[in-house]
Amino acid sequence: MSNRKKYTIIGLIVAAIVGFIAFHQIEAASHKAEFCILCHNMQPEYDSYTKGNLLAKKHKDANVTCHDCHTPTIGEQLNEVRMYATGDFETPTKQRGFTNEQCTSCHKIADIRKKTAHYGLSNPHEGTHNKDNEMLQCQSCHAVHHPQKLNTCMSCHPIDWKVDSSWKMYPPTKK
């Protein structure tokens, strides 16, 4: 085997090792909010995750990372790189919704119902508000990076629960 061929093979092996290590370092770093904020136009969401009294901060305190809830596909990631590189993004960032499946992958429905049983007949996690034992959409009331709203409940019911300051009461017509 010629020296040139040996050096080419050694170079390819070294490049593969360096690439492998770099990929895993970037992948590990990408689970931290500090990494996400480098490119993403999401200062309010980052602030809600690192300080304050919203659900995002409670998730951070429980060691939940961005990727525990946000798991973008390779296609979405490539599109985000394109938007960042071209400046083709909205300011402020459009709020994303979330599914009950995302929430209930950690928060078990039975535990939620037990924890809120003291609300009695007005418990939104039980009773007439649920069809076929399936809960309302969590995002109808709960938000993670923005104040939670009682609009859904208040459109039909007066709210007599004590809620903390992460909740905002808006007239039922305001979204």
Side-chain angles (χ1 to χ4, degrees), residues 6 10 26 40 59 80 82 90 99 124 128 131 153-154 168:
K6 286 180 190 176
I10 291 171
I26 290 170
H40 288 280
H59 283 94
E80 289 170 353
R82 179 201 57 79
E90 295 178 26
T99 65
T128 60
K131 293 183 178 122
C153 302
M154 289 175 51
K168 299 293 181 202

Side-chain angles (χ1 to χ4, degrees), residues 64 68 101-108 111:
V64 175
D68 289 332
E101 289 76 22
Q102 285 174 283
C103 301
T104 59
S105 67
C106 296
H107 303 282
K108 303 303 172 210
D111 294 341

Side-chain angles (χ1 to χ4, degrees), residues 109-170:
I109 293 173
D111 294 341
I112 294 167
R113 289 178 173 160
K114 189 182 298 181
K115 186 176 181 179
T116 59
H118 65 279
Y119 292 152
L121 294 176
S122 63
N123 186 351
H125 306 111
E126 280 284 12
T128 60
H129 297 99
N130 301 293
K131 293 183 178 122
D132 300 323
N133 208 31
E134 187 172 317
M135 289 177 48
L136 295 169
Q137 289 299 308
C138 300
Q139 69 180 351
S140 297
C141 301
H142 298 282
V144 179
H145 293 287
H146 306 280
Q148 303 178 89
K149 299 175 183 176
L150 292 174
N151 295 25
T152 302
C153 302
M154 289 175 51
S155 64
C156 298
H157 306 282
I159 301 301
D160 57 357
W161 315 326
K162 182 178 188 320
V163 295
D164 65 33
S165 60
S166 70
W167 288 86
K168 299 293 181 202
M169 304 244 194
Y170 296 101

Side-chain angles (χ1 to χ4, degrees), residues 4-120:
R4 182 180 172 130
K5 203 173 207 178
K6 286 180 190 176
Y7 290 132
T8 300
I9 291 172
I10 291 171
L12 288 172
I13 291 170
V14 168
I17 291 170
V18 168
F20 180 79
I21 292 169
F23 172 80
H24 284 285
Q25 290 298 316
I26 290 170
E27 202 275 329
S30 74
H31 289 284
K32 297 181 178 171
E34 295 80 14
F35 181 87
C36 300
I37 194 74
L38 292 173
C39 300
H40 288 280
N41 173 29
M42 52 178 255
Q43 190 65 49
E45 290 80 5
Y46 176 78
D47 291 344
S48 72
Y49 183 74
T50 58
K51 56 189 172 195
N53 67 341
L54 301 177
L55 287 181
K57 176 67 165 88
K58 291 176 182 176
H59 283 94
K60 178 187 184 295
D61 292 346
N63 296 316
V64 175
T65 69
C66 298
H67 283 180
D68 289 332
C69 298
H70 304 282
T71 51
T73 65
I74 293 293
E76 290 170 330
Q77 291 174 356
L78 291 173
N79 187 48
E80 289 170 353
V81 169
R82 179 201 57 79
M83 290 187 310
Y84 180 74
T86 63
D88 180 23
F89 53 83
E90 295 178 26
T91 303
T93 302
K94 187 188 297 184
Q95 290 185 28
R96 289 183 173 179
F98 51 91
T99 65
N100 280 9
E101 289 76 22
Q102 285 174 283
C103 301
T104 59
S105 67
C106 296
H107 303 282
K108 303 303 172 210
I109 293 173
D111 294 341
I112 294 167
R113 289 178 173 160
K114 189 182 298 181
K115 186 176 181 179
T116 59
H118 65 279
Y119 292 152

